[in-house]
Amino acid sequence: MWRMQYLCTVETLVEMVKIFTSAQLKELDDYTIAHEPIRSIDLMERAAKAMTRAITEEWTTQTAVVVFAGPGNNGGDALAVGRMLAEQGYQVSAYLFNTTGRLSEDCAKNRKRMEECRKVKLFAEVVEEFDPPKLTAGTLVVDGLFGTGMSKPLSGGFASLVKYINQSAAYIVSLDMPSGLMTEDNTYNVLANIIKADLTLTLHGKKLAFLFPENQQFIGRLRVLDIRLSEEGVGKIDAQYSMLEESDVVRLLRPRDDYAHKGNMGSAMIIAGSYGMAGASILATRACLRSGVGKVVVHIPKKNNDIMQISVPEAIVQPDIDEKYFSEAVDTSDMDAVCMGPGLRQQESTAIALISQIRRTSVPMVLDADALNILSNHRAWLQQLPGGIVMTPHPKEFDRLNGSPCADSYERLSRARSMAEHLKAYILLKGHYTALCLPNGKVVFNTTGNAGMATAGSGDVLAGILTALLARGYGQADACTLGMYLHGLAGDIAAAEVGMESLTASDLIACLPKAFMQLQQ
């Protein structure tokens, strides 16, 4: 497992799993070769053994195997896998595409080994014309055309071959990367020219492209194979992207002092819920209380007073002067954190009150939902946001903040990173892998959560959790890291109890205690 050291705040050192770029993966391979030491062909053999083992765990020797190998090291991997499968009794047909007459050194060595392996049913080196084999439903295709070194879309004969493979009834296993898919940025890729794998056997760890929803159609089921690359090399490479593990989050938890009282467990204010949207303020407040804060003051329109008093008796209700909307900034000098946005709506009077509230609030702030939508309509106000502010947009909310739609998830993430750096903000870009964009340009991906959380109110719960953690004294980076993990973990616990189809935002709040206890144990 790869680990990194990263200073989330000045007081907390957290280690996380690194996500490497294609260039960094090459650097890590080279470091391993130089310092293990191990020859590059032997490292390829190690990788091929891991991939062969994964294939033999799922398919018997009765399966016909067709290997498509490209001219680079990914092709070398594929040839080695084909040879190893043949040696174990599989009927293997292998095709090496060498249309330019230039093979990588290790691919050429594996070509020679393949030629010498008498157990291979068929080995053909394609230099010009290619008559593709018939790929039936009982065939296993091993895709080793191109790996992490791709830098431009596939075209010509390779694009035609990819389309032929995709249109077949065969089961497709891609080695390291589905051919044609780039490791990071696929904004300008030709999607029709990318292998649609049923199973991807990737080496070392997840690639950045694997975390984006639009790429799931190419990856299929994903297995990560450890081939024992240099831990020292991993530590020396500065990755911009990382993924959370439970052990990282456990380190952040602060034990509750035996002599704690509500006065030193933090005071939070939640400004939320226009008339008709009281549910947003109720969910955020309940989540805030369930996250261990000492006291919550909820500022709501007058007409929402009764429902809030009944729904959340533990909260202190502060009615706005307006019957239906948030209309006037309030004193937050006694608060330790403030949340603004859930269910506010976007009245102009509310917009003016919001920017006034932001200007006069000197404690950590969370901006969610309509607070972000208001800023999208008044983008000049973004420059007035104080450093350290926490924003929690879903993709469409971020696109509005950004001022224009993003072409894909990579572009959206890149722009969120830039915005976090420019504003010195903490931006949680919500999704299957929620991405925490930090002011220093680094990104931490969350690993908890499930599709059942795609339900109204889920974001309000996250906002409440974050506000509680900030009020309790967690720094912004730590609060965001712990908060997004707890939010997803509560969702996973809820899905196990009620199923993803029936999961509601209230279920997340009900499962927060179990999420905390799981981490504490």
Side-chain angles (χ1 to χ4, degrees), residues 182-215:
M182 298 177 205
T183 315
E184 293 92 43
D185 183 4
N186 288 276
T187 304
Y188 301 105
N189 208 341
V190 180
L191 303 188
N193 298 346
I194 302 173
I195 284 285
K196 290 186 176 181
D198 297 292
L199 170 65
T200 298
L201 302 175
T202 199
L203 303 175
H204 322 314
K206 290 181 179 179
K207 313 304 189 280
L208 184 63
F210 294 173
L211 307 183
F212 301 140
E214 58 267 28
N215 295 334

Side-chain angles (χ1 to χ4, degrees), residues 5-14 438 440 477:
Q5 285 194 328
Y6 170 63
L7 194 61
C8 280
T9 64
V10 294
E11 73 273 7
T12 307
L13 191 67
V14 178
L438 296 153
N440 63 1

Side-chain angles (χ1 to χ4, degrees), residues 159-237:
S160 298
L161 177 59
V162 164
K163 291 174 182 175
Y164 175 75
I165 295 171
N166 284 343
Q167 290 167 3
S168 76
Y171 196 97
I172 306 169
V173 175
S174 287
L175 305 183
D176 209 13
M177 293 285 293
S179 292
L181 185 68
M182 298 177 205
T183 315
E184 293 92 43
D185 183 4
N186 288 276
T187 304
Y188 301 105
N189 208 341
V190 180
L191 303 188
N193 298 346
I194 302 173
I195 284 285
K196 290 186 176 181
D198 297 292
L199 170 65
T200 298
L201 302 175
T202 199
L203 303 175
H204 322 314
K206 290 181 179 179
K207 313 304 189 280
L208 184 63
F210 294 173
L211 307 183
F212 301 140
E214 58 267 28
N215 295 334
Q216 301 315 301
Q217 61 178 313
F218 308 114
I219 299 161
R221 186 161 52 92
L222 179 66
R223 285 189 62 180
V224 178
L225 306 179
D226 179 15
I227 61 167
R228 306 190 310 279
L229 293 181
S230 170
E231 288 289 340
E232 184 179 51
V234 168
K236 289 188 174 184
I237 299 174

Side-chain angles (χ1 to χ4, degrees), residues 441-515:
K442 292 185 181 288
V443 178
V444 179
F445 288 96
N446 188 35
T447 52
T448 56
N450 59 81
M453 297 171 68
T455 184
S458 182
D460 303 326
V461 173
L462 176 61
I465 295 170
L466 296 172
T467 308
L469 296 175
L470 290 169
R472 289 176 57 182
Y474 287 88
Q476 281 92 331
D478 292 350
C480 291
T481 302
L482 177 57
M484 67 181 181
Y485 192 91
L486 278 166
H487 181 246
L489 181 57
D492 290 339
I493 294 169
E497 293 185 356
V498 303
M500 286 192 285
E501 299 299 335
S502 298
L503 196 153
T504 67
S506 294
D507 295 323
L508 303 180
I509 300 169
C511 290
L512 269 174
K514 292 180 181 178

Side-chain angles (χ1 to χ4, degrees), residues 376-389:
S376 299
N377 294 327
H378 302 80
R379 295 188 67 249
W381 290 355
L382 288 170
Q383 307 309 315
Q384 299 183 41
L385 299 180
I389 202 160

